[in-house]
Amino acid sequence: MSCNRRQLSTMEQPAWELLRQRLRAVRNFLSVALPIANAHTGDFYTRGVWDELVCSSPEAVLAAFTRHHPPEQLNHTEPTRSWDENELLKIFCKASHRLVDLESFLEAAKHHSLPYLGVCTPLGQLLGFLNEEEHNNYDKKITTDEFMNYKKAHEVLVMSQLIDSIANYCGIKQDSIMVGLHTCGDLSPNTLRIFVGKPEIKAVCSVGCCYHLLSEEFEVQPEENTVEKWGFPMCQDLKEERWSCGRNARMSACLALDRVAVGQGLPLESLFYRAVLQVIVKECYGNVKSDRRVGKAFSKSSCFLDYCRESLKNLGLDESKLSDSRLIEYYEMYKSRKKELEAFNMLRVVLSPCIEALILLDRLCYLREQGNVAWSGLVKLFDPVKSPRCYAVIAVKKY
């Protein structure tokens, strides 16, 4: 493959040591904050999660979230500040591990998310380098067919222009580029491994999603380790530390902070129904262990009563055991505590960009460890309100 343009390896990219420093910073913050992300909201009332993990009132959390994440500042970033270990430890009570410093927690979470870490390459800068000119109107150069929805059209418009630019830059006609748009779970890290291992693949552009489907090497016991290639971690630093996030934390990473900040909130009612149902199951049926799931009971129900009836049937439990009035009693009993669940989920939303940052930095560091990669970077491709999984891991081989 030949190329007459300037070498991509000369394009500015975050220094290797800066990447490792930012990776360590995010890891250090999450090492004290992960209990919030790993709490299961289905067990919210049965476990007393609010009192177990948070000292502030729900009202204080909701008000603080609004102050720290006003919609008009979604695209605003400031230089990140460093948080030493002692500062992070003071956010949570040393004895009980409860969140005691709400303001510092929200500030720390913000500064450990990708917009504040100073490790991302602006899309315009990358396109300008690839094409040796600025592309301020790149998303207006092509159109999409009407069969695409608004979100997908936005993604295809942006990504197709970038892939076209990479292919033209590299002079690719018959050789391959590895492209993944919202590749689920382990598919995203595997595309990076395939890119590294196959000489004929000259570049990769991967936008992952569904972090909850990632396999984690150090989440399971050694005797349960049957996977050859794990989705997380990929880089040597996290492998040596045997780092694990946990499935609930990876579920939290799939939340959309920017959407929540503009009022496109969480499915609070369904979460509340599920948490109250768990109380009913525990108190009226005992600690039932089953592989069966509630499924889509909420979407099929018009009210809490319908939801309970449908869910109990789906779980294989005798729903005739409980009268309508008894089920309504449970609903009324916990209705006044709904704000606890709402506020707690806001704390999980705040942590979501930090967990995503750790996962994506792990992938970028993995690429930097490879000897055949000329340039690699994290690039924000999409509007995060339209498409929450908006960051691409991009790399080009040496040639």
Side-chain angles (χ1 to χ4, degrees):
M1 178 174 61
S2 63
C3 182
N4 295 323
R5 301 183 183 221
R6 48 189 172 171
Q7 294 297 304
L8 190 57
S9 58
T10 65
M11 181 179 170
E12 183 180 350
Q13 60 182 337
W16 172 227
E17 189 49 46
L18 175 66
L19 283 181
R20 297 181 69 193
Q21 181 188 61
R22 295 295 191 252
L23 182 76
R24 289 193 294 268
V26 177
R27 174 210 61 192
N28 288 344
F29 172 60
L30 289 177
S31 67
V32 297
L34 272 182
I36 288 177
N38 268 319
H40 199 299
T41 52
D43 297 320
F44 188 77
Y45 297 121
T46 57
R47 271 187 50 200
V49 168
W50 184 263
D51 290 334
E52 178 187 344
L53 294 176
V54 187
C55 279
S56 305
S57 69
E59 292 77 13
V61 169
L62 294 172
F65 176 86
T66 302
R67 287 197 306 274
H68 282 261
H69 298 282
E72 65 272 14
Q73 292 186 13
L74 285 183
N75 296 315
H76 177 69
T77 59
E78 300 170 355
T80 190
R81 56 155 291 197
S82 298
W83 295 74
D84 63 39
E85 188 175 355
N86 288 330
E87 283 183 294
L88 294 176
L89 290 175
K90 289 177 182 177
I91 296 175
F92 294 85
C93 173
K94 186 176 181 180
S96 68
H97 305 293
R98 297 172 76 196
L99 173 61
V100 293
D101 190 339
L102 177 60
E103 293 295 324
S104 293
F105 170 81
L106 294 172
E107 276 299 306
K110 182 185 294 185
H111 284 274
H112 290 93
S113 62
L114 285 176
Y116 286 79
L117 292 175
V119 295
C120 292
T121 301
L123 176 59
Q125 179 183 335
L126 177 59
L127 286 171
F129 192 98
L130 293 171
N131 297 283
E132 298 187 25
E133 61 183 2
E134 291 297 324
H135 280 257
N136 294 324
N137 297 314
Y138 61 88
D139 60 341
K140 298 179 181 177
K141 295 181 181 295
I142 61 173
T143 59
T144 57
D145 292 335
E146 292 181 359
F147 72 86
M148 289 188 184
N149 63 30
Y150 180 65
K151 173 180 178 292
K152 189 57 64 179
H154 168 67
E155 295 163 356
V156 170
L157 283 169
V158 176
M159 200 167 186
S160 59
Q161 176 65 30
L162 174 61
I163 298 305
D164 181 62
S165 297
I166 294 174
N168 289 334
Y169 167 84
C170 293
I172 291 176
K173 298 191 181 298
Q174 293 181 341
D175 292 333
S176 302
I177 297 178
M178 179 73 73
V179 180
L181 176 55
H182 292 157
T183 44
C184 291
D186 285 355
L187 185 56
S188 190
N190 284 337
T191 61
L192 303 183
R193 291 191 178 100
I194 293 170
F195 159 73
V196 168
K198 297 289 184 180
E200 62 269 27
I201 301 177
K202 307 305 180 185
V204 65
C205 179
S206 174
V207 181
C209 70
C210 301
Y211 300 128
H212 60 294
L213 298 178
L214 279 173
S215 61
E216 286 201 71
E217 183 173 1
F218 305 111
E219 185 182 23
V220 300
Q221 298 300 318
E223 60 270 16
E224 299 173 8
N225 188 334
T226 58
V227 179
E228 184 178 349
K229 296 292 184 181
W230 297 89
F232 180 87
M234 298 186 75
C235 75
Q236 286 304 310
D237 282 1
L238 294 185
K239 278 183 173 292
E240 289 172 4
E241 295 171 3
R242 301 179 64 84
W243 181 267
S244 173
C245 291
R247 187 176 188 277
N248 287 339
R250 298 196 313 274
M251 286 284 288
S252 297
C254 297
L255 298 172
L257 172 60
D258 294 272
R259 282 186 174 178
V260 174
V262 297
Q264 299 178 24
L266 294 163
L268 181 62
E269 197 70 4
S270 64
L271 294 173
F272 176 67
Y273 280 14
R274 185 64 185 88
V276 177
L277 175 70
Q278 193 70 10
V279 177
I280 294 170
V281 170
K282 181 179 179 181
E283 294 186 359
C284 301
Y285 296 90
N287 290 316
V288 179
K289 291 187 178 180
S290 172
D291 292 333
R292 302 178 73 166
R293 297 288 181 265
V294 166
K296 298 180 179 179
F298 182 80
S299 62
K300 297 177 181 179
S301 306
S302 60
C303 63
F304 181 72
L305 273 177
D306 288 348
Y307 173 82
C308 286
R309 298 294 183 200
E310 181 71 20
S311 298
L312 292 172
K313 279 189 251 182
N314 291 347
L315 293 171
L317 300 174
D318 180 11
E319 51 95 14
S320 66
K321 179 179 178 179
L322 298 173
S323 65
D324 286 356
S325 60
R326 183 69 176 128
L327 293 174
I328 292 298
E329 281 179 15
Y330 275 103
Y331 179 84
E332 294 296 331
M333 188 187 312
Y334 286 93
K335 186 170 64 173
S336 63
R337 295 178 59 188
K338 189 188 290 189
K339 275 203 178 298
E340 291 178 9
L341 185 60
E342 180 184 2
F344 190 79
N345 274 285
M346 287 302 182
L347 296 178
R348 294 175 71 237
V349 167
V350 165
L351 285 177
S352 64
C354 308
I355 304 166
E356 181 176 44
L358 186 74
I359 292 170
L360 295 182
L361 282 171
D362 172 60
R363 294 173 184 178
L364 183 57
C365 286
Y366 164 79
L367 290 172
R368 288 291 178 88
E369 293 167 355
Q370 310 309 312
N372 61 349
V373 175
W375 183 91
S376 57
L378 283 174
V379 180
K380 183 180 177 182
L381 294 189
F382 312 132
D383 181 332
V385 175
K386 297 176 185 175
S387 183
R389 305 282 75 80
C390 59
Y391 288 96
V393 179
I394 300 173
V396 175
K397 286 234 182 83
K398 294 178 180 177
Y399 56 90

